[in-house]
Amino acid sequence: MANVLVERAGTDVVLLRLNRPEARNALSPELREELRDLFLALDRDESCRAIVITGDMRAFAAGADIKAMAEATPAEMMERDDETNWAAIRNCRKPVIAAVNGYALGGGCELAMHCDIIIAGKSARFGQPEVKLGIMPGAGGTQRLTRAIGKFRAMQLLLTGDFLSAEEAHVAGLVSSVSEDDAVVGDALALAARIAALPPLAVEEIKRVVLTGMDMPLEAALKLEMRSAYLLFGTADKGEAMRAFVEKRPAVFTGK
Ligand code: CO8
């Protein structure tokens, strides 16, 4: 059985559903490789304009698979080359929305933080409990969490393994918005469809500049932004969007 289920939602949105409910969607090596291959394929698939990733009502993902790591040595962990699996998600040019119900812990929280937008159900719980296992986050948990919610709240979570509720995560800036539990996936798909209907080159460039600029000094990031903003004036969709505005009609985008 596939560890990740793939559904088309409308013509241009793809829904990825983690499918290890018996293990709270723990990220086994096989599941990560499936995710990697899916992200590499969707990045190249012109018919896919936005991706939603979700789990089930009990867990988005409860982290790396502890049973698959319990006896692992450093060399074995290196051989798994998890970095390449995460890079496929990190480098995806399409907008990615996490629709989180239940637990997003450890690697599950890190997976959500690889996404561009996080929509959480009211009962969702976020945390990096690695410290309780005598290890530490290895897929951006110490860095992305700190950038998202600041040093002092991040330290408290990372050093205790405590969880944040959806509302606490929202207030802290880890979550984009909170929905009723049973509305999370629908809300994420509706948002994805709205983004997918916008000019794809503008969407792609905005994502690239936000993510690249976050790690640059402000002056350099502002220059990057300006260059990308100029570049979009060369697209057919920019011409169509502005003409449509002036002519008071809906725009028809081609992705060119
Ligand atoms: N890995 C493997 N199996 C899991 C995991 C997991 N992360 N989480 C849950 N399961 C399994 C349980 O073992 C159980 O299986 P079984 O039925 O065979 O006993 C089943 O899922 C259901 O779990 P529970 O009965 O515990 O369900 P609850 O609803 O009571 O609790 C929790 C759910 C709170 C999610 C609980 O299961 C839990 O605490 N899970 C572990 C969470 C955790 O510690 N996550 C962090 C893992 S480490 C990580 O993600 C980063 C690794 C970084 C590696 C660095 C590389 C260099």
Side-chain angles (χ1 to χ4, degrees), residues 18 29 52 64 74 91 96 118 141 172 186 201 228 240:
L18 306 187
V52 174
N91 295 330
V96 185
I118 302 178
L201 290 172
S228 291
E240 165 64 6

Side-chain angles (χ1 to χ4, degrees), residues 101-114:
N101 274 309
Y103 295 105
L105 304 179
C109 187
E110 291 171 310
L111 176 60
M113 290 192 289
H114 271 69

Side-chain angles (χ1 to χ4, degrees), residues 35-96:
L35 262 190
R36 174 200 63 203
D37 293 345
L38 283 165
F39 270 93
L40 289 175
L42 292 174
D43 187 57
R44 287 190 295 264
D45 179 351
E46 278 193 19
S47 73
C48 167
R49 298 248 163 111
I51 300 166
V52 174
I53 180 162
T54 194
D56 56 39
M57 295 307 279
R58 283 187 301 198
F60 176 72
D65 192 309
I66 298 169
K67 292 168 189 167
M69 288 187 307
E71 307 300 330
T73 63
E76 284 161 359
M77 293 302 285
M78 273 181 79
E79 271 168 28
R80 289 181 192 178
D81 189 23
D82 223 13
E83 163 58 17
T84 305
N85 298 334
W86 289 110
I89 305 173
R90 185 171 75 234
N91 295 330
C92 179
R93 292 167 296 171
K94 313 288 166 75
V96 185

